[in-house]
Structures are given as C-alpha cells and as structure tokens.
C-alpha cells in the first residue's frame, strides 16, 4: 500500500566495536568494496532495483549519526524502546 507523503528505504551496513583498529576497518572496507563492485553484485543490485550506496566507513558513520539526530526527538517523545 502507498501512504501519501511517506517514503521508505532500507540500509545495510557493518558496524564494529569502538576501538577496532583503522587497519582492520580499512581491510574489510576494501574487501566489501570489491565485492560490491563485482559484476555479479552489480547485476543483482539492478535486478532488485536497489541503489548502490556503498561508501567509506567515515561516510557510513556520518549517515548513522545523522539518522540518530533525526530520530532521537521522536524516540524520546514517544518513549520508544528497542526490543518492544
């Protein structure tokens, strides 16, 4: 069903513990980037009508922070809690 005035999206990403070494993050980011750019993955992304938004670890961290700032007032106002 379509809700006028609403949009939706889904984002997938990998998050690691604070203090994880920059070298380890760079290693996995490079491998995941290679996988995301592979012809098979690009074909599958097109088949699903997805938008490939793979970016740097720093850009993903900024995206998470922006979403947190956007949703925090709503979460606080409603008393919403993770896990139901």
């Amino acid at each position: 069903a379509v809700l006028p005035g609403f949009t939706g999206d889904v984002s997938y990403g990998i998050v690691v513990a604070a203090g994880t070494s920059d070298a380890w993050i760079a290693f996995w980011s490079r491998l995941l980037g290679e996988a995301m750019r592979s012809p098979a993955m690009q074909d599958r992304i097109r088949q699903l009508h997805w938008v490939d938004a793979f970016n740097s670890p720093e850009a993903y961290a900024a995206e998470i922070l922006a979403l947190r700032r956007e949703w925090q007032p709503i979460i606080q106002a409603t008393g919403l809690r993770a896990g139901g």
Side-chain angles (χ1 to χ4, degrees):
V2 176
L3 298 172
F6 287 84
T7 61
D9 64 27
V10 175
S11 178
Y12 296 98
I14 295 176
V15 181
V16 297
T20 300
S21 75
D22 291 342
W24 192 240
I25 293 169
F27 170 79
W28 283 106
S29 181
R30 181 179 54 78
L31 288 181
L32 289 168
E34 290 171 5
M36 290 298 294
R37 289 186 296 274
S38 73
M41 182 63 81
Q42 290 297 308
D43 286 345
R44 187 66 177 144
I45 288 169
R46 278 190 293 278
Q47 290 169 3
L48 295 170
H49 303 283
W50 287 359
V51 175
D52 178 4
F54 184 79
N55 212 326
S56 70
E58 297 80 13
Y60 189 52
E63 179 184 345
I64 291 170
L65 184 58
L67 287 168
R68 183 176 179 179
R69 287 183 180 140
E70 179 182 350
W71 285 99
Q72 188 170 15
I74 296 164
I75 291 167
Q76 288 176 336
T78 61
L80 186 65
R81 291 228 172 293

